[in-house]
Amino acid sequence: MEDLTVEAIISLHSRIIERTGGDSRVLSEATLHQLVLNATMIPQYVKRAAFVFWFLCAYPAFRDGNTQAALAVASRVLESAGYRLTVTRDEDAALADGIAACTIEPDDIEKRLMASVRNDCRENG
């Protein structure tokens, strides 16, 4: 995802909070910088999306809306490669709960995402 930046993530989160309500404050901009640094080193899009989702759920960067932001950023990563994510809210919540309980790792999320994406444009796994 060429535009994976701290500013892009904060902007995406702000739009989510405007739509759903909640506290839009950033808890840790450093966490977001770490996320961007690590994610941009992962060349495979599905693996990168899984890492982004896991990281934002495991290390919340915002006061509210971390799970929604995690899913939105992961979706953006996949969309930049021509994939469309088809995870339901229940699946999203189950993944986030598993991350909070330390029972789900990025590899588990990657497997679930692979089963939940449609390639609309090109192969780039």
Side-chain angles (χ1 to χ4, degrees), residues 27-89:
L27 288 175
S28 173
E29 194 169 314
T31 296
L32 295 173
H33 283 283
Q34 189 67 40
L35 167 64
V36 169
L37 174 68
N38 287 316
T40 56
M41 291 190 280
I42 302 170
Q44 302 88 2
Y45 288 98
V46 175
K47 188 179 285 280
R48 185 183 305 167
F51 173 78
V52 164
F53 185 87
W54 176 83
F55 193 95
L56 274 176
C57 290
Y59 302 101
F62 305 104
R63 300 279 287 172
D64 289 323
N66 288 286
T67 301
Q68 297 94 326
L71 186 61
V73 176
S75 292
R76 279 279 177 91
V77 168
L78 293 170
E79 287 168 6
S80 72
Y83 292 106
R84 186 171 13 162
L85 187 59
T86 59
V87 174
T88 67
R89 282 192 194 271

Side-chain angles (χ1 to χ4, degrees), residues 2-13:
E2 296 161 13
D3 62 343
L4 182 59
T5 64
V6 170
E7 294 78 18
I9 295 169
I10 290 172
S11 176
L12 208 70
H13 176 260

